[in-house]
Amino acid sequence: MATESRLSSRFESALVYAAQLHAAQTRKASDVPYVAHLLAVASLVIEHGGDEDEVIAALLHDAIEDQGGAPTRAAIVERFGPRVAEIVAGCTDAEVMPKPPWRARKEAHLAHVAVASDSIRLVIAADKLHNARALLHDYRLHGELLWERFNGGREGTLWYYRSMVDALRRGWSHALVDQLARELDELERLANID
């Protein structure tokens, strides 16, 4: 996975497309435009050696799940090719609305991650690392009120992130996963979880 020295016009097109898809979306319980998260995930993938398809997938990693399901997947195939669509689909825990029940959906996604390709794991690790950093930041600001934003609440959210570290590490090793584990250690320490 060697990053090319420059990203092509495909990246620019993906950036515009991602911004358009998520234009009305904000981060959970905040006014922060969702595109900030997409840019952060793409940045982590670039910084950790991702190729252009992986970086584009990082920009679009929530597109299928949050912005249209199967029709969005088809549009990604058409615009950016099957490999990008495959990576994005691998990051998706639900393609249908309404989404299946939270715990069952997360368990199925974790099972998929444990056997996913390195490209899918790279994007998921970057996504979860950025989310964990945001969780830690928000916990410092809001304390236990933070967990009201999440379907899994405190226990479910922390279970999911710790289980994600385990799933990502199954047969794969990467600095992003190590960083994710450290962020979770700190969050659990602050939240007094043994």
Side-chain angles (χ1 to χ4, degrees), residues 163-179:
S163 297
M164 181 59 74
V165 168
D166 295 341
L168 286 165
R169 283 184 168 159
R170 208 159 293 141
W172 190 66
S173 176
H174 199 281
L176 285 172
V177 183
D178 297 338
Q179 291 174 45

Side-chain angles (χ1 to χ4, degrees), residues 110-124:
L110 288 164
H112 166 75
V113 170
V115 297
S117 71
D118 290 358
S119 293
I120 291 169
R121 290 186 198 212
L122 175 65
V123 175
I124 289 173

Side-chain angles (χ1 to χ4, degrees), residues 89-118:
C91 297
T92 302
D93 75 5
E95 196 171 303
V96 297
M97 289 304 267
K99 292 179 181 180
W102 185 84
R103 180 73 181 222
R105 186 173 82 243
K106 297 303 182 188
E107 287 174 351
H109 187 59
L110 288 164
H112 166 75
V113 170
V115 297
S117 71
D118 290 358

Side-chain angles (χ1 to χ4, degrees), residues 8 33 41 51 74 91-92 94 113 117 122 126 131 136 153 158 160 167 173 180 183 186 192 194:
S8 76
V41 174
D51 63 31
C91 297
T92 302
V113 170
S117 71
L122 175 65
N131 285 343
L136 189 54
L158 292 171
Y160 176 64
S173 176
L180 172 58
E183 295 292 331
E186 179 64 8
N192 295 314
D194 297 324

Side-chain angles (χ1 to χ4, degrees), residues 41-169:
V41 174
S43 177
L44 286 167
V45 170
I46 290 169
E47 291 168 4
H48 287 85
D51 63 31
E52 188 171 52
D53 281 350
E54 292 163 341
V55 175
I56 290 170
L59 288 171
L60 300 173
H61 75 272
D62 280 331
I64 295 171
E65 186 173 321
D66 293 344
Q67 302 300 326
T72 301
R73 181 201 294 242
I76 292 170
V77 170
E78 183 178 322
R79 288 173 177 238
F80 306 106
R83 181 168 179 249
V84 170
E86 179 184 320
I87 298 168
V88 175
C91 297
T92 302
D93 75 5
E95 196 171 303
V96 297
M97 289 304 267
K99 292 179 181 180
W102 185 84
R103 180 73 181 222
R105 186 173 82 243
K106 297 303 182 188
E107 287 174 351
H109 187 59
L110 288 164
H112 166 75
V113 170
V115 297
S117 71
D118 290 358
S119 293
I120 291 169
R121 290 186 198 212
L122 175 65
V123 175
I124 289 173
D127 171 37
K128 299 311 181 215
L129 175 58
H130 186 255
N131 285 343
R133 287 175 174 168
L135 277 170
L136 189 54
H137 174 266
D138 289 351
Y139 188 83
R140 285 182 171 124
L141 291 176
H142 305 292
E144 290 297 310
L145 292 175
L146 166 72
W147 307 116
E148 294 175 7
R149 301 179 190 176
F150 297 92
N151 292 332
R154 179 183 195 231
E155 288 75 23
T157 301
L158 292 171
W159 160 82
Y160 176 64
Y161 276 86
R162 186 56 67 191
S163 297
M164 181 59 74
V165 168
D166 295 341
L168 286 165
R169 283 184 168 159

